[in-house]
Amino acid sequence: MIFTSLFETAWHALVTHRMRSFLTMLGMVIGVAAVILMLAIGQGAQAMVRSSIESMGSNLFIIMSGATTSGGARVAGGMAPTLTFSDADAIRGLGDIVAAAPVSPGTAQLIYGGLNWNTSVYGTTPDYAVVRDWPMESGGFFSEADVRSGARVAVIGAVVGRELFGDEDPIGKIIRIRQAPFEVIGVLAAKGQSLDGRDQDDTVIVPITSAQQKIFSSSMRNRARLIMAQAVSDKRMDAAESGINELLRNRHRIGVGQDDDFTVRNLTALAETAASTTRIMSLLLGAIAAISLVVGGIGIMNIMLVSVTERTREIGIRMAIGARRRDVLWQFLIEALTLSLIGCAIGLGLGIGGAWLVGNLAGLPVAVTPASVLMAVGVSFLIGVFFGFYPARSAAGLDPIEALRAQ
Amino acid sequence: MATPGKPLIEVVDLEKDYPTGAGVFQALRGVSLSIATGEFVAIMGASGSGKSTFMNLLGCLDRPTRGSYHLDGIDVSRMSSDQLAALRNREIGFVFQGFNLLPKMTSLDNVALPLMYAGMGRQARRQQAQTVLERVGLGERSHHTPLQLSGGQQQRVAIARAMATRPRIIFADEPTGNLDSETSHQVMGLFSQLNRDEGITLVLVTHEADIAAYARRRIRFQDGRVVEDVPQKAVAA
């Protein structure tokens, strides 16, 4: 028997039972669509996390004032800044550290002309641009001299630039940050969302001295809530971390057995945890969707078994006129396979369309990858074979005389 | 074609047992006979006499419990089911009481079906099926489905299907059982014509005497044995 005849026969059987074929396929359609959609959402989330990690800066430590625990009890970090500018200088002096910047964070109202905008303000040093791997869109970052002199200069993020200046060139313009006038000397390149979902481009960066004198008007001169530091490479992260711990314990004169008054966080490690969490989430989504695919396969097997029973007489006729057992086996196997692959094709269309809708209407990041499409097709093929085989074998195993007698 | 001097069908001491709840039912209790190429044989007998079992064995749908069956000199009683299928496809045609056409297929596709299992390409088998349909006088009905045809026409499509691979033998099991008497005689006329003009060996199972009268040899079964095997003068087709 010729192979194309098998497809002809299968196709004929499917179109003569259109409604049943459609309903049988529906399970596969929904399964494949669910797998494609779930993988698209999962992979979109992964891609977003990945780009957030890249935008954060690499090999990054964040050192916070205050301990996370004190005598076993959790306390709020950063209430009383214990870190100083000279701590940052000392950390920068460590062999495994490239750059370290003290950071004084806050929020403030910005005013330019008739527009105002509430944003986060970071007082820091030029090292900040290094540790965050943050290039300039236009203009330049402020200098160490600006920090020493407490210059009223500001570098703005892309969102602030857009909101306050629109199409105007911000460089050289004076903005008011909590009433204090600052000259915009640079615009940062856009980075997008951070891991915690904040827009990193909605920010203003000023010399830490100016921030403390003019904006936060705090009495914590020469002290910083945070120090951000970058290690020379990811292999030196552990060495750098223990170096920072030892250095700060020495500088802060913390004796053996006493709690630290600072907390060192390896942000890269945290980011990797976040990445693996999303990876697990996307695997989980895919697995749940895969279950519906298997259910779809069982639906095919169910209908194929009914179909074999209903068509017993037809099978008997075919055997009487010369169909061998393997011809009958192939006939039903190809029928199941055709069902699952057509279902898969429709499911792919729906899944990709659904992903597009989710991406465009709900604004979630989605990514339909060739790998997930290939996987869906491959799994559908296997399901067709796996769940088609048993009904096909029971059809092929029929006795021609018995089958001819069936009604 | 058959080897001269050798019968086309030769069975010796053919027995068939069926296991039942109450023990073994002996459907055939030792049947020996031979049928030569070109014969037209009617097999008669009451239901339960073993004639259908005998037909199924001759038609290679089943294997005997004991005894031998040679078809054209080849022992088929020990063949595998796939070998039997190929043999049925090539050498044997079946015509059934209930026509047994596939209802969703056109006459042409029904007739072409055995050619598909013979491995013929789509174009070639449709062409040959059309020729055979014309031979049984249904050339214009090739695109009708069985439900659009009368009983007599359906049986003629079934005969065309049985002839499609140009087999040596056609087995007809009560072929007129579902037809009125006028149509029955038309169908029997067609059988006689095929036997006479094409030399197809015909084995006909029936319990109607006027249908059996078309054959030139009459074999009667009773309780699993042949009780009568006589030549007869066939009625004119």
Side-chain angles (χ1 to χ4, degrees):
Chain A
M1 186 164 163
I2 306 173
F3 206 63
T4 53
S5 306
L6 285 169
F7 282 99
E8 252 173 68
T9 307
W11 184 250
H12 184 263
L14 296 183
V15 293
T16 46
H17 299 99
R18 267 189 205 91
M19 191 62 186
R20 170 192 289 188
S21 304
F22 171 73
L23 290 174
T24 311
M25 253 183 243
L26 209 54
M28 289 303 291
V29 171
I30 292 169
V32 169
V35 165
I36 291 293
L37 190 58
M38 291 299 131
L39 286 181
I41 290 172
Q43 276 164 344
Q46 268 178 274
M48 188 178 72
V49 166
R50 205 177 310 121
S51 79
S52 298
I53 291 169
E54 278 160 12
S55 74
M56 199 177 61
S58 52
N59 310 324
L60 197 60
F61 285 111
I62 184 156
I63 302 131
M64 288 178 289
S65 286
T68 44
T69 61
S70 178
R74 289 175 62 88
V75 298
M79 286 303 287
T82 53
L83 298 168
T84 64
F85 293 0
S86 51
D87 283 340
D89 288 336
I91 289 169
R92 186 175 19 200
L94 288 171
D96 292 319
I97 297 294
V98 180
V103 180
S104 206
T107 56
Q109 194 80 5
L110 308 186
I111 300 169
Y112 174 73
L115 298 168
N116 63 77
W117 186 250
N118 196 31
T119 189
S120 57
V121 178
Y122 290 99
T124 185
T125 64
D127 263 14
Y128 186 77
V130 179
V131 296
R132 296 292 314 273
D133 291 331
W134 208 336
M136 304 300 297
E137 179 67 39
S138 62
F141 213 82
F142 49 78
S143 64
E144 289 290 348
D146 292 327
V147 175
R148 275 193 301 277
S149 65
R152 294 181 188 181
V153 290
V155 175
I156 61 174
V159 169
V160 172
R162 192 177 65 231
E163 293 297 333
L164 286 186
F165 295 96
D167 294 333
E168 218 179 318
D169 180 12
I171 306 292
K173 302 288 181 337
I174 304 294
I175 55 172
R176 290 178 171 277
I177 306 176
R178 209 176 268 175
Q179 301 310 326
F182 278 76
E183 183 190 352
V184 176
I185 58 165
V187 180
L188 292 159
K191 258 182 185 287
Q193 276 196 346
S194 70
L195 270 179
D196 53 14
R198 270 185 307 198
D199 192 337
Q200 300 179 87
D201 300 320
D202 188 3
T203 190
V204 171
I205 296 167
V206 296
I208 189 165
T209 46
S210 325
Q212 290 179 341
Q213 288 157 19
K214 308 295 177 193
I215 304 171
F216 303 140
S217 58
S218 63
S219 55
M220 40 173 145
R221 294 277 159 90
N222 295 325
R223 289 184 175 270
R225 285 260 170 88
L226 316 164
I227 295 173
M228 291 179 100
Q230 187 178 31
V232 286
S233 73
D234 59 343
K235 290 189 187 68
R236 302 299 298 165
M237 288 296 278
D238 289 341
E241 186 168 350
S242 54
I244 293 167
N245 270 309
E246 197 182 331
L247 177 81
L248 289 180
R249 283 179 75 90
N250 272 334
R251 288 179 59 88
H252 294 186
R253 297 194 173 78
I254 298 165
V256 177
Q258 280 184 285
D259 286 330
D260 292 343
D261 62 354
F262 60 91
T263 309
V264 179
R265 279 208 180 141
N266 179 341
L267 272 198
T268 308
L270 280 179
E272 270 158 16
T273 310
S276 71
T277 307
T278 25
R279 198 157 46 238
I280 288 167
M281 182 196 78
S282 90
L283 267 176
L284 215 66
L285 286 176
I288 291 168
I291 290 172
S292 65
L293 207 54
V294 171
V295 173
I298 293 171
I300 288 183
M301 177 155 78
N302 190 11
I303 295 298
M304 291 304 294
L305 280 172
V306 171
S307 168
V308 167
T309 311
E310 269 190 11
R311 285 152 71 189
T312 300
R313 195 182 181 82
E314 175 195 326
I315 295 163
I317 295 169
R318 286 175 182 274
M319 284 177 159
I321 63 175
R324 290 160 302 179
R325 296 202 181 282
R326 76 180 105 117
D327 294 328
V328 175
L329 183 90
W330 274 112
Q331 180 189 338
F332 283 89
L333 203 53
I334 297 275
E335 216 174 293
L337 211 53
T338 309
L339 272 176
S340 73
L341 288 181
I342 293 175
C344 171
I346 298 172
L348 277 181
L350 282 180
I352 292 170
W356 185 86
L357 277 180
V358 166
N360 281 269
L361 298 184
L364 281 176
V366 289
V368 178
T369 61
S372 65
V373 171
L374 268 180
M375 197 204 72
V377 174
V379 168
S380 304
F381 184 84
L382 288 179
I383 280 179
V385 172
F386 185 79
F387 290 108
F389 185 75
Y390 176 68
R393 208 193 49 177
S394 55
L398 287 172
D399 175 59
I401 297 169
E402 293 288 325
L404 275 171
R405 243 179 244 147
Q407 280 317 301
Chain B
M1 283 293 115
T3 326
K6 274 198 170 174
L8 183 58
I9 286 171
E10 186 172 31
V11 297
V12 179
D13 295 331
L14 211 59
E15 290 182 35
K16 181 70 186 178
D17 297 345
Y18 290 111
T20 63
V24 173
F25 171 67
Q26 291 180 282
L28 287 181
R29 302 162 182 241
V31 175
S32 301
L33 57 81
S34 54
I35 297 171
T37 300
E39 274 200 87
F40 187 171
V41 183
I43 295 178
M44 302 192 71
S47 48
S49 61
K51 61 182 195 303
S52 291
T53 305
F54 187 62
M55 270 281 283
N56 288 339
L57 288 176
L58 290 194
C60 296
L61 288 166
D62 206 352
R63 275 167 289 203
T65 312
R66 281 171 295 277
S68 72
Y69 171 22
H70 286 81
L71 181 65
D72 198 14
I74 302 160
D75 184 7
V76 298
S77 48
R78 301 285 169 261
M79 278 188 172
S80 74
S81 59
D82 277 1
Q83 285 173 311
L84 290 179
L87 198 63
R88 288 197 296 272
N89 183 247
R90 209 170 50 238
E91 305 281 2
I92 297 168
F94 288 101
V95 177
F96 303 95
Q97 176 175 4
F99 319 136
N100 276 348
L101 297 171
L102 297 187
K104 305 274 184 171
M105 285 190 180
T106 62
S107 311
L108 191 71
D109 286 335
N110 265 293
V111 176
L113 205 55
L115 299 171
M116 180 177 88
Y117 291 113
M120 203 182 259
R122 183 179 158 84
Q123 276 313 312
R125 63 180 192 248
R126 287 172 75 89
Q127 227 159 39
Q128 185 163 334
Q130 181 65 35
T131 310
V132 183
L133 273 173
E134 277 159 17
R135 177 72 189 78
V136 300
L138 286 175
E140 284 91 56
R141 305 290 166 127
S142 58
H143 293 289
H144 289 59
T145 61
L147 289 176
Q148 298 166 318
L149 300 174
S150 70
Q153 286 171 329
Q154 287 187 55
Q155 197 58 302
R156 270 146 71 195
V157 172
I159 293 169
R161 182 181 63 187
M163 289 166 54
T165 58
R166 306 191 188 289
R168 219 87 68 79
I169 319 159
I170 289 180
F171 292 100
D173 191 357
E174 305 274 11
T176 58
N178 286 10
L179 303 174
D180 62 48
S181 86
E182 194 191 331
T183 319
S184 293
H185 289 288
Q186 281 171 8
V187 163
M188 288 317 297
L190 178 59
F191 272 128
S192 299
Q193 213 183 331
L194 291 175
N195 175 248
R196 194 180 57 229
D197 300 349
E198 323 239 332
I200 295 178
T201 310
L202 269 173
V203 178
L204 168 76
V205 168
T206 183
H207 60 265
E208 291 168 79
D210 59 333
I211 297 301
Y214 281 87
R216 291 192 301 274
R217 177 180 170 189
R218 193 172 71 234
I219 300 173
R220 190 179 296 277
F221 274 73
Q222 196 180 321
D223 298 328
R225 289 193 181 87
V226 175
V227 292
E228 183 191 54
D229 185 351
V230 291
Q232 63 180 16
K233 193 178 181 320
V235 298

